[in-house]
Amino acid sequence: MKTNARSNLQSIVFIVALLSVATFRAATATTPQYQIYDIGVIDAGDTASQGFGVSEGGVAVGRSIRTGGSQAFTWTLNDGLIGLPNLAGRNHAVSNSANDNGIVVGTAATTLFGSSRVPVMWQNGAVSQLPLPAGETLGDANSVNAANVAVGSVDGGSLQRGAIYNAGSGTIITQTTANGSFFVTAFGINDSGRVVGQGIDPNNAARNVGIVYDIGESLAFEVGALPGLNGALAFGVSNTGYVVGSSMLNQGSGLPFIWSDQGGMVAIPLATGTSQGSARAVNSAGWVVGNDSSAFSIPFLYDGKNTYRLADLIPPNSGWDLSMNTSSSALGISEDGVIVGTGVHNGETHAYAMVPVAPSPTPTATPTATATATAAATPTATATITPTATPTATATSTPTGEPPPMRNSPTPRAHPIPRPRP
C-alpha cells in the first residue's frame, strides 16, 4: 500500500515527466543521428574494452581487458579515456556507474568472472573498498546517484541480496513486496532514491520479480509483467521514475518494457529482425537503450514511438559492426542522449560512445523526445560524419501496454551475477 510520501513523490515525478515530454514534442520530428567514438583500450596490449554505462552528464564507464587482469576507466568527449587504479590484491576491476560529482563505483575481483569480488569507489584518482554489511565478505556496486548513494548486492548464490552503500556503511535491503518478494540485486538508483533490480518470489522461486524500492518507504513493490507473462527483471531507472527491463514467463524468453507509476508496463517494440530483447537504461525523457537479438545481438534505441537499430543511426563508413556479432550492446544513455556500450570496431571488441549530431528530417519517425548534445572537442574517433541512410525503425502507435506476440529470448538466471562485473 502506497504512503502519502510516495504518492507525493510520484505526482512530482509525473509532472516533471510531462513537462519534459511536452518540451521535446515541440521539436521537429526527426530521425536520431549519431557520431560514434571508439573509446579504445587503456594500454596498447589490452585485448578488448567494454562500455557499461554513462552518467547524466556524459561520463562513460567500463573496463579494459588484458591478459591476467582488467582495469576500470572513465571516458568523456573532452578528456578522453582515463584508466582508474586497481584495488590492492585484486587485479580485475570494472566501473559500472558514475555521477557528475566525480564519483565512480564498480567491482574489484581476483578473476574476470568475479571471484572474491568487493564493491569499490573511485574518487579524486584513488580507489577504496565500500564498506560491506557486518558479516559479509562479497559484494558489488552497480549504480550511484547524484547524492553519492550506491546500490548493488552482497553475498552470492541463494544468499545474494540487494544492498545500499551510503555514508560510510553498507546495508542489506530488507524491504519486501506485499507478498514477500525480496531483492536479490539492485541494478539502478535515481537521484530521488528509487532503487530497481531483480527480486525473488518466495512463493514461486522460478518467477523473476522486477522489484522497485523508494528509499524511506516501508515496502517495495513490483512492476508486474506484460500480458501473458508473469515476471520481469528491472535494469534501469530515470530521474523521472521510468523503469526499464525485460518481462518474461518465469525465467524464459524476455521482451523489453518501459514502466511508469501512471502508465504501468508498456511493451517496447522489438527492433526489425529480432525476436527477443531487454531494455537496459532510460533517461528522463523516456528514451531507452538495450539489446534485442535473434542470431546476433542488436543494440537498439527507443524514442517513445520508434525502435531503431543503433547500426542504422551511425555513419555507414565508420568501421563499426553493431549488428553481425554477439558482443554488441547498449547499456547506458545520458540526459542528452549519449549512448554507451560495446561493439566491434575494425574487428576488435571495443567500448563506444555515440554522441548525437544534427538530425535530418524524416516524415516517418515522430519521437516523443529529441535528445541533443554539443561536442565541444574536436572528435578523435576514427569515424567521420557523413549523411546516413534512412534508418529502419519499428514504428507503433501510441503505446497501449499490449506487447508484440510472445517470442523466444535468452533465459534469465534466478540468481544472476550482478551486472556487470569482472
Side-chain angles (χ1 to χ4, degrees):
M1 189 171 183
K2 298 180 180 179
T3 66
N4 289 335
R6 183 169 143 202
S7 297
N8 291 337
L9 172 65
Q10 292 168 351
S11 298
I12 293 171
V13 164
F14 182 56
I15 292 171
V16 172
L18 285 178
L19 290 173
S20 175
V21 170
T23 300
F24 280 104
R25 279 182 172 169
T28 303
T30 57
T31 293
Q33 293 181 24
Y34 283 83
Q35 169 68 302
I36 187 167
Y37 292 81
D38 184 1
I39 290 178
V41 295
I42 296 173
D43 292 336
D46 290 358
T47 56
S49 62
Q50 297 170 298
F52 287 143
V54 63
S55 73
E56 295 174 17
V59 180
V61 294
R63 66 179 170 186
S64 187
I65 301 171
R66 58 187 63 120
T67 301
S70 65
Q71 186 174 355
F73 66 73
T74 62
W75 178 95
T76 62
L77 189 58
N78 289 333
D79 297 328
L81 180 64
I82 298 174
L84 304 176
N86 279 4
L87 189 71
R90 287 173 168 82
N91 59 345
H92 290 81
V94 57
S95 48
N96 290 326
S97 177
N99 63 23
D100 296 320
N101 303 325
I103 300 296
V104 181
V105 300
T107 305
T110 57
T111 69
L112 192 67
F113 305 103
S115 303
S116 301
R117 75 190 194 281
V118 292
V120 292
M121 173 184 288
W122 290 270
Q123 185 176 17
N124 299 323
V127 62
S128 60
Q129 181 180 328
L130 289 167
L132 290 163
E136 300 292 345
T137 59
L138 301 176
D140 43 60
N142 294 324
S143 182
V144 63
N145 69 8
N148 303 335
V149 179
V151 297
S153 72
V154 297
D155 219 318
S158 62
L159 299 178
Q160 186 175 346
R161 295 292 184 272
I164 297 173
Y165 305 99
N166 183 29
S169 66
T171 58
I172 294 173
I173 302 173
T174 58
Q175 285 78 4
T176 65
T177 66
N179 79 334
S181 295
F182 56 88
F183 268 89
V184 173
T185 188
F187 289 124
I189 182 173
N190 71 5
D191 290 349
S192 65
R194 171 162 284 186
V195 182
V196 303
Q198 184 201 3
I200 290 294
D201 182 349
N203 304 306
N204 181 5
R207 185 176 77 91
N208 284 318
V209 175
I211 193 167
V212 181
Y213 166 55
D214 293 319
I215 292 178
E217 295 296 308
S218 59
L219 285 177
F221 62 97
E222 62 175 287
V223 294
L226 292 171
L229 309 177
N230 70 353
L233 296 170
F235 290 117
V237 59
S238 76
N239 281 334
T240 46
Y242 291 117
V243 177
V244 296
S246 183
S247 180
M248 69 288 295
L249 181 64
N250 293 326
Q251 294 161 35
S253 56
L255 296 171
F257 72 83
I258 182 168
W259 177 97
S260 65
D261 287 293
Q262 284 71 30
M265 183 176 282
V266 176
I268 294 175
L270 289 164
T272 302
T274 64
S275 59
Q276 55 206 18
S278 176
R280 302 306 297 261
V282 59
N283 67 14
S284 292
W287 284 42
V288 181
V289 295
N291 307 312
D292 289 340
S293 63
S294 52
F296 302 109
S297 178
I298 307 296
F300 71 82
L301 168 68
Y302 172 66
D303 62 11
K305 189 175 181 67
N306 299 293
T307 299
Y308 301 94
R309 288 171 170 244
L310 292 191
D312 292 336
L313 304 182
I314 59 176
N317 63 342
S318 66
W320 283 93
D321 171 13
L322 298 180
S323 61
M324 297 295 291
N325 63 81
T326 57
S327 300
S328 294
S329 66
L331 297 179
I333 183 168
S334 74
E335 296 294 72
D336 286 336
V338 175
I339 300 169
V340 169
T342 303
V344 177
H345 185 226
N346 295 327
E348 297 183 336
T349 301
H350 278 188
Y352 67 79
M354 287 174 53
V355 179
V357 296
S360 301
T362 174
T364 56
T366 309
T368 58
T370 302
T372 60
T374 301
T378 302
T380 57
T382 56
T384 57
I385 302 176
T386 58
T388 64
T390 302
T392 301
T394 302
T396 64
S397 58
T398 303
T400 62
E402 291 298 321
M406 185 171 174
R407 301 163 171 88
N408 294 326
S409 78
T411 301
R413 293 164 290 186
H415 300 283
I417 294 174
R419 189 274 326 154
R421 73 179 196 207

